[in-house]
């Protein structure tokens, strides 16, 4: 892989190789309306990573369609000309992580390992493949690789009632069961947590207005149609706003 001309790659398990990506999602930070604190935090962390000032693995968690994955891609686009590269790896392909680390460790570039929809069900132990990246082994964890993961869960491993049945209170302190400790500790290995929530109606309409900002439209009618669209999907997230734009941009004459 020639990383001087390849900015991103996706791991393909069937062929056991990194596939170069030449048609990148070009989403930019300015397109992500209403995520100012999350944008700033991930930007600062990524810049520290590029400048070798110390940076954290990042977990972006929260409601679906709120911009978690889009923010990771937008931050990558912001810094890709400064030596940042992106490698997408599915949760089911974590078994290949050690080999990917070996391939990237000595490259002169900084790599974000992007894992989307990151969570683990009961009896799924594939998260243990993360140890060489999050903790290291007898070989130090690589300095040029960070993991940025998005998840609908703050605690990445599914929690069950029985995990908490062995909790004890000793000298006034709460002691979790071994199962609960293990499940909480995985999220704790991500030093940067960013939370995402469904916005209110006003925030949703601001995103809609951003997509239609260059159009002369009846805003009252536009907002009415946008609210109807959101109600049908029971969602007022950024994804819904974009879907509304894609659905109605060809029918603008009906909104003028």
């Amino acid at each position: 892989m020639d990383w001087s001309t390849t900015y991103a790659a996706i791991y393909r398990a069937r062929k056991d190789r990194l596939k170069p990506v030449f048609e990148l999602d070009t989403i930019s930070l300015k397109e992500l309306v209403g995520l100012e604190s999350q944008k700033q935090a991930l930007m600062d962390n990524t810049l520290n990573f590029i400048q070798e000032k110390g940076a954290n693995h990042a977990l972006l968690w929260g409601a679906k369609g709120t911009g978690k994955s889009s923010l990771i891609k937008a931050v990558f686009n912001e810094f890709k000309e400064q030596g940042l590269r992106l490698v997408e790896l599915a949760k089911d392909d974590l078994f290949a992580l050690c080999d990917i680390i070996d391939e990237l460790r000595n490259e002169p570039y900084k790599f974000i390992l992007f894992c989307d929809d990151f969570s683990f069900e009961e009896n799924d132990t594939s998260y243990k493949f993360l140890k060489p990246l999050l903790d290291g082994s007898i070989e130090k964890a690589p300095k040029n690789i960070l993991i940025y993961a998005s998840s609908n869960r703050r605690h990445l491993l599914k929690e069950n009632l029985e995990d908490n049945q062995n909790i004890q209170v000793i000298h006034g302190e709460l002691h979790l069961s071994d199962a609960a400790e293990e499940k909480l500790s995985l999220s704790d290995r991500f030093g940067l947590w960013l939370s995402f929530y469904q916005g209110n109606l006003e925030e949703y309409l601001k995103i809609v207005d951003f997509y239609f900002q260059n159009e002369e439209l009846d805003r009252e009618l536009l907002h009415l149609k946008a609210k109807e669209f959101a109600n049908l999907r029971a969602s007022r997230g950024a994804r819904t706003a974009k879907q509304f734009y894609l659905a109605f941009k060809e029918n603008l004459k009906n909104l003028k």
Side-chain angles (χ1 to χ4, degrees), residues 62-187:
K64 63 182 181 180
T66 50
K68 302 182 295 295
S69 301
S70 294
L71 179 54
I72 294 173
K73 291 183 286 187
V75 167
F76 158 67
N77 285 328
E78 186 74 15
F79 290 112
K80 66 179 185 290
E81 299 297 340
Q82 299 182 40
L84 186 66
R85 300 294 182 261
L86 189 71
V87 174
E88 184 174 350
L89 179 68
K91 186 263 295 184
D92 292 338
D93 296 331
L94 286 176
F95 65 87
L97 181 58
C98 286
D99 292 331
I100 293 174
I101 289 173
D102 288 343
E103 183 174 337
L104 303 181
R105 178 185 291 271
N106 296 317
E107 291 285 345
Y109 298 93
K110 298 292 190 296
F111 294 89
I112 295 297
L113 188 63
F114 172 40
C115 296
D116 200 12
D117 294 328
F118 207 54
S119 62
F120 302 88
E121 299 302 320
E122 188 177 3
N123 300 322
D124 182 353
T125 61
S126 59
Y127 67 90
K128 295 183 183 293
F129 289 111
L130 288 167
K131 183 173 173 33
L133 181 57
L134 298 179
D135 296 329
S137 57
I138 61 170
E139 185 176 32
K140 289 179 65 176
K143 293 182 179 181
N144 66 331
I145 304 174
L146 283 182
I147 180 171
Y148 282 5
S150 70
S151 177
N152 294 335
R153 299 176 185 166
R154 181 166 63 92
H155 296 148
L156 296 173
L157 277 71
K158 184 177 180 180
E159 298 175 90
N160 300 308
L161 178 62
E162 56 267 26
D163 294 338
N164 297 313
Q165 289 178 342
N166 294 322
I167 290 178
Q168 298 178 330
V169 178
I170 302 176
H171 302 305
E173 293 184 354
L174 192 66
H175 292 262
L176 300 177
S177 68
D178 289 343
E181 284 280 10
E182 182 179 34
K183 293 186 174 185
L184 291 172
S185 67
L186 178 59
S187 295

